[in-house]
Every structure is written in C-alpha cells, then in structure tokens.
Amino acid sequence: EEFNQTSLFSSLNNSISLKQEQKQRKEIDFSEFNFNEKFSFLIKEDICYFASENFVTKTDIKNAKSILEDETKKKIAFDIKKSLYIYPEIKGVVEDIMLTSYVFDSSRSHLLVNQAESYLDLIEETDISLAGAIYDLSKVYEKKLSEQEKKLSKLELDLAYVLFKMEKQGVCLDLAYMGELKKEIDAKINELEN
C-alpha cells in the first residue's frame, strides 16, 4: 500500500481527544434553578455561583446556605477545602474537580482556568462561566478516569474534609512521646552515618 501522509495526519487528528466545547448556559434567577439534579458550585467571596447542564445562577452566600448544607443535593466542587474555609457547613459534595485533576495527572497544573483551557473551549473567564466549566469538567473526567481512579478521587474528597477539620481545629500531640521518638530517630541516624 502507498504511504499517504495526509491520511495519516487525518487519522491522528481524529484519534486525538479534541477539546469539548464549553456549553452555553442560560442565566436564570436563583429561585428558578433546579437543585434536585447534580450541579456544580463556585464560591467567590460572598457570592455563590451554581451551574447545571443548561442553566447558571448566582446568589449571595446567605441565600445559598440551605442548598450548601443539604446533603441530599449532589454538588460538584472545585477545591472543596478552600470552599470550606469560606463556608464550613458544605455537605453533599460528590466530586472535587481539583482533586480529580490531581488523581488523573499529578504532573499538570490543577488550577481551574488551566483545566478549562486544556479540556474545554472556555467561553470566557468569568466566575459564572467557571462554575459552568466545573460542571463540564466533571463530564470530561467521567469519560477519562478509570474505575480505580474514580474510587481514588472519592477517597481524596473524603480526606479533604478530614484535613480541613484537622487544619481548623488542630491536632493534639504527646510532646513527651515525640521527644522520645526524636531521640530514637537521632540515634538511628547517628548509627547509619557512622
């Protein structure tokens, strides 16, 4: 068979995963948004942005309180630990796009804008558009992650809540035991060096 360079490049381009187009969403009033289906959220200062398959909305954090606290409302977050520092009562998060990105490829940037530029044709870099990008990235990762990576991403999400509580409350240390442990480790280091 004759080698056809154009055909080869065409095949390569078709096999390479092209960027998914970020979906245009209609902005609606907060009271009209359907929180009974899975949705993404983004908190910036005292404003909470929400996105679903077709719609986006925003409200101040006081109005979003009951939604954020409702464990039955399935939410997709970006950097849940940072969101918890803004509003610590968030429940019902089923995915964290930042953590999922890390599980998928720990060597790349995990910033939301970078992920959106890598996997989506980002429409615009506004907070409301980024809330939509979180939703769209969830769909991208749903296709890209293996079952094992999905389980690991869920484990990372659970650990993020634990780490937040540890950072917020602190941890107790047995200083006497830590002192003894230091002596043992120093002795072993000395032994290995000599």
Side-chain angles (χ1 to χ4, degrees), residues 6-95:
T6 306
S7 176
L8 176 64
F9 285 120
S10 176
S11 293
L12 282 173
N13 281 337
N14 289 336
S15 67
I16 295 172
S17 173
L18 299 175
K19 289 183 181 181
Q20 176 180 316
E21 187 173 318
Q22 184 183 10
K23 187 170 181 138
Q24 289 276 11
R25 292 174 170 83
K26 180 180 178 188
E27 188 169 353
I28 60 173
D29 187 72
F30 177 72
S31 64
E32 297 172 6
F33 193 87
N34 181 2
F35 290 103
N36 293 319
E37 297 175 6
K38 187 162 74 168
F39 59 89
S40 61
F41 73 96
L42 178 67
I43 302 174
K44 291 288 184 118
E45 298 172 16
D46 64 341
I47 303 294
C48 197
Y49 302 87
F50 297 97
S52 64
E53 182 70 33
N54 298 307
F55 302 102
V56 289
T57 192
K58 65 182 179 184
T59 190
D60 64 55
I61 201 133
K62 289 177 189 170
N63 285 339
K65 207 172 151 179
S66 64
I67 300 300
L68 293 173
E69 292 178 6
D70 189 337
E71 198 161 338
T72 66
K73 308 292 185 203
K74 301 304 175 201
K75 304 163 195 68
I76 306 164
F78 180 84
D79 194 356
I80 186 60
K81 213 165 68 160
K82 183 176 180 182
S83 297
L84 288 167
Y85 274 101
I86 298 169
Y87 189 74
E89 300 303 319
I90 301 169
K91 296 178 183 80
V93 175
V94 295
E95 184 178 2

Side-chain angles (χ1 to χ4, degrees), residues 90-146:
I90 301 169
K91 296 178 183 80
V93 175
V94 295
E95 184 178 2
D96 182 323
I97 295 303
M98 187 181 80
L99 296 173
T100 300
S101 169
Y102 184 80
V103 167
F104 181 66
D105 182 358
S106 62
S107 68
R108 65 185 303 278
S109 171
H110 307 293
L111 297 173
L112 179 55
V113 172
N114 292 355
Q115 289 186 64
E117 288 172 351
S118 293
Y119 298 118
L120 307 171
D121 283 329
L122 186 61
I123 295 167
E124 56 187 345
E125 201 177 309
T126 62
D127 292 333
I128 205 149
S129 179
L130 290 173
I134 294 169
Y135 189 91
D136 294 338
L137 285 165
S138 175
K139 289 183 154 198
V140 168
Y141 286 125
E142 177 66 31
K143 294 174 188 170
K144 289 185 175 287
L145 265 60
S146 69

Side-chain angles (χ1 to χ4, degrees), residues 180-194:
E180 290 299 316
L181 196 56
K182 181 184 180 328
K183 288 178 188 175
E184 286 179 36
I185 292 171
D186 286 344
K188 286 184 182 182
I189 290 172
N190 259 344
E191 185 180 310
L192 291 172
E193 288 178 341
N194 297 329

